[in-house]
Tab-separated table of all heavy atoms in Angstrom:
chain	number	residue	atom	x	y	z
Q	324	LEU	N	-36.978	-43.204	-67.834
Q	324	LEU	CA	-37.997	-43.515	-66.823
Q	324	LEU	C	-38.419	-42.261	-66.072
Q	324	LEU	O	-39.564	-42.146	-65.644
Q	324	LEU	CB	-37.450	-44.563	-65.842
Q	324	LEU	CG	-38.377	-44.966	-64.682
Q	324	LEU	CD1	-39.658	-45.594	-65.226
Q	324	LEU	CD2	-37.672	-45.933	-63.751
Q	325	ALA	N	-37.500	-41.306	-65.939
Q	325	ALA	CA	-37.804	-40.087	-65.179
Q	325	ALA	C	-38.920	-39.282	-65.827
Q	325	ALA	O	-39.680	-38.596	-65.151
Q	325	ALA	CB	-36.546	-39.236	-65.028
Q	326	THR	N	-39.010	-39.337	-67.152
Q	326	THR	CA	-39.997	-38.510	-67.851
Q	326	THR	C	-41.235	-39.298	-68.261
Q	326	THR	O	-42.140	-38.732	-68.883
Q	326	THR	CB	-39.345	-37.885	-69.095
Q	326	THR	OG1	-38.855	-38.944	-69.943
Q	326	THR	CG2	-38.180	-36.988	-68.684
Q	327	SER	N	-41.284	-40.594	-67.935
Q	327	SER	CA	-42.461	-41.384	-68.306
Q	327	SER	C	-43.657	-40.950	-67.471
Q	327	SER	O	-43.513	-40.598	-66.306
Q	327	SER	CB	-42.175	-42.874	-68.107
Q	327	SER	OG	-41.829	-43.116	-66.762
Q	328	LEU	N	-44.841	-40.991	-68.077
Q	328	LEU	CA	-46.044	-40.468	-67.423
Q	328	LEU	C	-47.023	-41.554	-67.020
Q	328	LEU	O	-47.865	-41.325	-66.152
Q	328	LEU	CB	-46.751	-39.464	-68.349
Q	328	LEU	CG	-45.937	-38.243	-68.763
Q	328	LEU	CD1	-46.723	-37.368	-69.706
Q	328	LEU	CD2	-45.512	-37.445	-67.543
Q	333	ARG	N	-43.534	-46.776	-68.049
Q	333	ARG	CA	-42.529	-47.099	-67.042
Q	333	ARG	C	-42.172	-48.576	-67.065
Q	333	ARG	O	-41.016	-48.950	-66.821
Q	333	ARG	CB	-43.042	-46.703	-65.659
Q	333	ARG	CG	-43.253	-45.191	-65.538
Q	333	ARG	CD	-44.101	-44.798	-64.356
Q	333	ARG	NE	-44.339	-43.344	-64.335
Q	333	ARG	CZ	-45.234	-42.721	-63.570
Q	333	ARG	NH1	-46.008	-43.437	-62.755
Q	333	ARG	NH2	-45.367	-41.415	-63.618
Q	355	ALA	N	-38.601	-45.335	-57.980
Q	355	ALA	CA	-38.649	-43.927	-58.382
Q	355	ALA	C	-39.936	-43.318	-57.852
Q	355	ALA	O	-40.981	-43.973	-57.815
Q	355	ALA	CB	-38.579	-43.790	-59.896
Q	356	GLY	N	-39.846	-42.075	-57.436
Q	356	GLY	CA	-41.012	-41.318	-56.982
Q	356	GLY	C	-41.089	-40.011	-57.751
Q	356	GLY	O	-40.055	-39.366	-58.008
Q	357	TRP	N	-42.296	-39.626	-58.118
Q	357	TRP	CA	-42.480	-38.408	-58.913
Q	357	TRP	C	-43.131	-37.314	-58.083
Q	357	TRP	O	-43.758	-37.584	-57.038
Q	357	TRP	CB	-43.339	-38.721	-60.139
Q	357	TRP	CG	-42.566	-39.426	-61.223
Q	357	TRP	CD1	-41.917	-38.907	-62.261
Q	357	TRP	CD2	-42.378	-40.859	-61.305
Q	357	TRP	NE1	-41.311	-39.863	-63.026
Q	357	TRP	CE2	-41.580	-41.098	-62.466
Q	357	TRP	CE3	-42.767	-41.937	-60.534
Q	357	TRP	CZ2	-41.202	-42.346	-62.873
Q	357	TRP	CZ3	-42.393	-43.180	-60.936
Q	357	TRP	CH2	-41.614	-43.403	-62.097
Q	358	GLY	N	-42.993	-36.102	-58.582
Q	358	GLY	CA	-43.532	-34.947	-57.874
Q	358	GLY	C	-45.039	-34.964	-57.755
Q	358	GLY	O	-45.598	-34.284	-56.881
Q	359	ASP	N	-45.742	-35.739	-58.597
Q	359	ASP	CA	-47.201	-35.817	-58.484
Q	359	ASP	C	-47.651	-36.923	-57.526
Q	359	ASP	O	-48.847	-37.158	-57.381
Q	359	ASP	CB	-47.827	-36.048	-59.867
Q	359	ASP	CG	-47.315	-37.323	-60.536
Q	359	ASP	OD1	-46.465	-38.022	-59.896
Q	359	ASP	OD2	-47.734	-37.625	-61.674
Q	360	GLY	N	-46.683	-37.595	-56.865
Q	360	GLY	CA	-47.038	-38.618	-55.890
Q	360	GLY	C	-47.009	-40.030	-56.425
Q	360	GLY	O	-47.228	-40.971	-55.671
Q	361	ASP	N	-46.747	-40.239	-57.735
Q	361	ASP	CA	-46.655	-41.593	-58.274
Q	361	ASP	C	-45.416	-42.286	-57.719
Q	361	ASP	O	-44.418	-41.630	-57.367
Q	361	ASP	CB	-46.572	-41.552	-59.800
Q	361	ASP	CG	-47.941	-41.270	-60.426
Q	361	ASP	OD1	-48.895	-41.069	-59.645
Q	361	ASP	OD2	-48.049	-41.216	-61.668
Q	424	ARG	N	-43.386	-38.560	-51.698
Q	424	ARG	CA	-42.990	-37.173	-51.420
Q	424	ARG	C	-42.814	-36.906	-49.935
Q	424	ARG	O	-42.186	-35.918	-49.560
Q	424	ARG	CB	-44.045	-36.221	-52.004
Q	424	ARG	CG	-44.138	-36.297	-53.526
Q	424	ARG	CD	-45.358	-35.558	-54.037
Q	424	ARG	NE	-46.603	-36.172	-53.588
Q	424	ARG	CZ	-47.814	-35.750	-53.944
Q	424	ARG	NH1	-47.939	-34.713	-54.745
Q	424	ARG	NH2	-48.897	-36.375	-53.501
Q	429	PHE	N	-36.743	-38.921	-50.398
Q	429	PHE	CA	-37.231	-38.063	-51.481
Q	429	PHE	C	-36.901	-36.598	-51.178
Q	429	PHE	O	-36.399	-35.863	-52.041
Q	429	PHE	CB	-38.752	-38.252	-51.642
Q	429	PHE	CG	-39.336	-37.556	-52.867
Q	429	PHE	CD1	-39.557	-38.270	-54.043
Q	429	PHE	CD2	-39.641	-36.202	-52.855
Q	429	PHE	CE1	-40.098	-37.634	-55.150
Q	429	PHE	CE2	-40.173	-35.570	-53.952
Q	429	PHE	CZ	-40.408	-36.285	-55.120
Q	433	ALA	N	-34.387	-34.281	-53.344
Q	433	ALA	CA	-35.014	-33.172	-54.067
Q	433	ALA	C	-34.286	-31.860	-53.824
Q	433	ALA	O	-34.281	-30.965	-54.666
Q	433	ALA	CB	-36.473	-33.045	-53.659
Q	458	HIS	N	-31.208	-40.104	-55.565
Q	458	HIS	CA	-30.667	-39.088	-56.489
Q	458	HIS	C	-31.814	-38.592	-57.352
Q	458	HIS	O	-32.620	-39.371	-57.856
Q	458	HIS	CB	-29.569	-39.722	-57.357
Q	458	HIS	CG	-28.691	-38.700	-58.035
Q	458	HIS	ND1	-29.147	-37.850	-59.008
Q	458	HIS	CD2	-27.369	-38.412	-57.857
Q	458	HIS	CE1	-28.153	-37.074	-59.428
Q	458	HIS	NE2	-27.060	-37.391	-58.723
Q	459	ARG	N	-31.879	-37.295	-57.493
Q	459	ARG	CA	-32.956	-36.756	-58.338
Q	459	ARG	C	-32.579	-36.857	-59.815
Q	459	ARG	O	-31.397	-36.970	-60.173
Q	459	ARG	CB	-33.242	-35.312	-57.953
Q	459	ARG	CG	-32.152	-34.323	-58.318
Q	459	ARG	CD	-32.474	-32.945	-57.753
Q	459	ARG	NE	-31.532	-31.937	-58.244
Q	459	ARG	CZ	-31.497	-30.680	-57.806
Q	459	ARG	NH1	-32.362	-30.302	-56.851
Q	459	ARG	NH2	-30.635	-29.801	-58.284
Q	460	SER	N	-33.592	-36.822	-60.667
Q	460	SER	CA	-33.357	-36.943	-62.105
Q	460	SER	C	-32.590	-35.727	-62.621
Q	460	SER	O	-32.562	-34.662	-61.985
Q	460	SER	CB	-34.678	-37.090	-62.845
Q	460	SER	OG	-35.473	-35.939	-62.616
Q	461	SER	N	-31.930	-35.909	-63.771
Q	461	SER	CA	-31.075	-34.843	-64.303
Q	461	SER	C	-31.866	-33.587	-64.641
Q	461	SER	O	-31.340	-32.476	-64.573
Q	461	SER	CB	-30.350	-35.362	-65.557
Q	461	SER	OG	-31.295	-35.804	-66.524
Q	462	ASP	N	-33.147	-33.743	-64.995
Q	462	ASP	CA	-33.972	-32.566	-65.334
Q	462	ASP	C	-35.042	-32.369	-64.268
Q	462	ASP	O	-36.178	-32.015	-64.569
Q	462	ASP	CB	-34.605	-32.743	-66.707
Q	462	ASP	CG	-35.312	-34.085	-66.832
Q	462	ASP	OD1	-35.236	-34.873	-65.858
Q	462	ASP	OD2	-35.928	-34.347	-67.886
Q	463	PHE	N	-34.655	-32.599	-63.007
Q	463	PHE	CA	-35.604	-32.462	-61.885
Q	463	PHE	C	-36.139	-31.023	-61.830
Q	463	PHE	O	-35.409	-30.060	-61.961
Q	463	PHE	CB	-34.909	-32.810	-60.565
Q	463	PHE	CG	-35.827	-32.800	-59.368
Q	463	PHE	CD1	-36.590	-33.919	-59.078
Q	463	PHE	CD2	-35.941	-31.680	-58.565
Q	463	PHE	CE1	-37.428	-33.926	-57.981
Q	463	PHE	CE2	-36.786	-31.668	-57.483
Q	463	PHE	CZ	-37.532	-32.808	-57.190
Q	464	GLY	N	-37.446	-30.917	-61.579
Q	464	GLY	CA	-38.077	-29.599	-61.449
Q	464	GLY	C	-38.637	-29.049	-62.735
Q	464	GLY	O	-39.137	-27.922	-62.773
Q	465	THR	N	-38.616	-29.862	-63.812
Q	465	THR	CA	-39.129	-29.370	-65.105
Q	465	THR	C	-40.418	-30.071	-65.482
Q	465	THR	O	-40.631	-30.489	-66.600
Q	465	THR	CB	-38.077	-29.595	-66.192
Q	465	THR	OG1	-37.801	-31.004	-66.273
Q	465	THR	CG2	-36.791	-28.863	-65.863
Q	466	GLY	N	-41.283	-30.288	-64.526
Q	466	GLY	CA	-42.596	-30.881	-64.827
Q	466	GLY	C	-42.556	-32.372	-64.708
Q	466	GLY	O	-42.348	-32.919	-63.643
Q	467	ALA	N	-42.745	-33.033	-65.836
Q	467	ALA	CA	-42.832	-34.492	-65.839
Q	467	ALA	C	-41.532	-35.142	-65.409
Q	467	ALA	O	-41.511	-36.269	-64.965
Q	467	ALA	CB	-43.230	-34.992	-67.234
Q	468	GLY	N	-40.449	-34.431	-65.539
Q	468	GLY	CA	-39.161	-35.008	-65.166
Q	468	GLY	C	-38.828	-34.880	-63.707
Q	468	GLY	O	-37.701	-35.148	-63.313
Q	469	SER	N	-39.769	-34.440	-62.862
Q	469	SER	CA	-39.497	-34.243	-61.426
Q	469	SER	C	-39.527	-35.589	-60.706
Q	469	SER	O	-40.463	-35.904	-59.986
Q	469	SER	CB	-40.529	-33.282	-60.820
Q	469	SER	OG	-40.431	-32.019	-61.404
Q	470	ALA	N	-38.503	-36.372	-60.939
Q	470	ALA	CA	-38.456	-37.719	-60.347
Q	470	ALA	C	-37.231	-37.838	-59.450
Q	470	ALA	O	-36.213	-37.194	-59.681
Q	470	ALA	CB	-38.404	-38.789	-61.450
Q	471	VAL	N	-37.379	-38.673	-58.413
Q	471	VAL	CA	-36.271	-39.003	-57.517
Q	471	VAL	C	-36.127	-40.521	-57.528
Q	471	VAL	O	-37.123	-41.236	-57.311
Q	471	VAL	CB	-36.523	-38.491	-56.093
Q	471	VAL	CG1	-35.425	-39.017	-55.159
Q	471	VAL	CG2	-36.547	-36.972	-56.054
Q	472	PHE	N	-34.908	-40.991	-57.781
Q	472	PHE	CA	-34.642	-42.424	-57.815
Q	472	PHE	C	-34.009	-42.858	-56.492
Q	472	PHE	O	-33.269	-42.095	-55.861
Q	472	PHE	CB	-33.698	-42.774	-58.969
Q	472	PHE	CG	-34.305	-42.542	-60.336
Q	472	PHE	CD1	-34.066	-41.357	-61.012
Q	472	PHE	CD2	-35.132	-43.491	-60.909
Q	472	PHE	CE1	-34.624	-41.135	-62.251
Q	472	PHE	CE2	-35.693	-43.269	-62.151
Q	472	PHE	CZ	-35.446	-42.076	-62.845
Side-chain angles (χ1 to χ4, degrees):
L324 178 62
T326 58
S327 59
L328 300 178
R333 296 164 183 167
W357 283 268
D359 58 0
D361 283 2
R424 296 169 295 183
F429 188 97
H458 197 293
R459 70 186 188 187
S460 61
S461 57
D462 51 357
F463 184 84
T465 60
S469 297
V471 173
F472 294 96

